[in-house]
Amino acid sequence: MLRVLLSPRMLAFHALVALIVPSFAWLGFWQLDRWEDESAKVALQEANMAAAPVPAERLTAPGEDLSADEQWRRVTVTGHYTPEHELLVRNRDGSRGVGLHVLTPLVTEGGTALLVNRGWIEQPPTAKTRPDVPPPPDGQVAVTGRLRFSETEESTGIRVRDGLPKGQIMIVDVDRIAANLPYPVYGGYAELTDQRPEGTDQPEQVPPPEPNTGMNLSYAVQWWIFTAIAIGGWVFLMRREIADARSNDESAPPEAAAGTPSGDGAGGPDRESPRSGARL
């Protein structure tokens, strides 16, 4: 058995299994960790969206980044829209395909603005065509919206490019937008969920995100299945090699097994049969 299991071919196979099995097991636990992280994010997201709305100034402030624990929280703010500073965010999905998000600052009585994503509109026929944007309600408006992080190229995977039509942007980079506005701007921005008065023919509201923990749990299970297959294949091959070696030993001639030289007779080539009458 040791002769078979310690043969050069089997030693190479042992080394391969010793490398594969811990690697596959580690990949499974890595995917499990990712699934747990995504599940925690989804749980926080659902809890924040279900929480009662609070005034925006309790969760964010001008020039400050939004806390990771506060994303998706609903906030309320009262003020007036400034459509002269309105921006259109390109390449955003809606119910009828790719279009634009309408981002309008809402200035509070204290003079601080919150960027409000009022919703989705259809893409115009050409990039240079001015889209038909529904105007926001006039006068004082009470807005409720979900807080979102300021966007970056890294967080969105969208590359910012120059040469866009006036008033259009690729990502909602709050700091860059605030630098071109005449009033301070809260950190983060809000996706509109409700406003009073509602206004007429408003953009299509951005729907809440669907809970998604990804495929990481299934990937973890797959890696562990691969680990079990590798171990099972290793055991199967060892058993087969041992069985083949035993079968070869049992089927070998006794003379070969004993190491006796073979010839035409038991006594060798010079030994004559007693029936011949020759001397032995």
Side-chain angles (χ1 to χ4, degrees):
M1 183 182 298
L2 290 178
R3 175 175 56 85
V4 173
L5 297 181
L6 297 181
S7 65
R9 187 166 71 92
M10 289 301 297
L11 287 175
F13 188 72
H14 297 332
L16 180 62
V17 172
L19 176 65
I20 287 177
V21 168
S23 300
F24 285 4
W26 179 84
L27 287 169
F29 283 109
W30 175 63
Q31 291 288 355
L32 180 63
D33 289 341
R34 293 190 61 187
W35 175 76
E36 291 176 344
D37 291 342
E38 293 299 321
S39 297
K41 291 178 183 178
V42 168
L44 178 62
Q45 170 186 308
E46 292 178 336
N48 283 352
M49 289 192 298
V54 297
E57 61 269 19
R58 286 180 52 181
L59 303 181
T60 180
E64 294 184 3
D65 293 331
L66 185 66
S67 169
D69 294 336
E70 306 301 346
Q71 184 173 212
W72 305 111
R73 282 292 303 272
R74 291 186 298 158
V75 295
T76 58
V77 60
T78 300
H80 65 277
Y81 284 113
T82 56
E84 65 272 18
H85 296 136
E86 190 169 77
L87 296 169
L88 301 177
V89 191
R90 296 171 61 91
N91 297 333
R92 302 294 162 136
D93 293 330
S95 63
R96 298 184 297 278
V98 177
L100 306 163
H101 280 177
V102 182
L103 191 71
T104 313
L106 183 77
V107 182
T108 66
E109 293 182 356
T112 303
L114 177 67
L115 298 178
V116 178
N117 182 350
R118 295 198 292 124
W120 179 90
I121 60 173
E122 289 187 271
Q123 186 82 26
T126 66
K128 295 184 178 180
T129 303
R130 175 67 183 176
D132 185 15
V133 181
D138 294 329
Q140 188 169 355
V141 183
V143 166
T144 302
R146 298 182 294 264
L147 279 179
R148 299 295 311 275
F149 287 129
S150 174
E151 296 179 347
T152 64
E153 292 186 13
E154 292 75 17
S155 65
T156 61
I158 300 173
R159 182 178 180 183
V160 177
R161 54 190 177 89
D162 299 325
L164 297 177
K166 184 178 180 180
Q168 296 190 17
I169 57 177
M170 297 296 297
I171 61 175
V172 186
D173 186 336
V174 175
D175 289 341
R176 179 175 293 185
I177 295 170
N180 296 316
L181 295 176
Y183 32 70
V185 178
Y186 285 115
Y189 68 99
E191 290 177 346
L192 179 66
T193 59
D194 183 69
Q195 67 181 7
R196 294 288 183 273
E198 294 183 356
T200 58
D201 298 326
Q202 291 301 298
E204 178 183 288
Q205 288 189 5
V206 178
E210 295 182 0
N212 180 18
T213 57
M215 299 292 292
N216 301 105
L217 182 60
S218 63
Y219 293 155
V221 174
Q222 288 177 15
W223 282 118
W224 290 331
I225 291 175
F226 294 155
T227 303
I229 291 173
I231 295 174
W234 176 57
V235 172
F236 173 79
L237 182 61
M238 286 193 299
R239 291 171 62 91
R240 190 184 69 179
E241 290 291 317
I242 294 172
D244 289 347
R246 287 175 175 171
S247 177
N248 291 336
D249 288 345
E250 291 174 357
S251 62
E255 296 84 352
T260 305
S262 62
D264 294 336
D270 294 334
R271 187 178 181 88
E272 298 183 10
S273 172
R275 293 183 181 181
S276 64
R279 296 178 59 187
L280 297 179

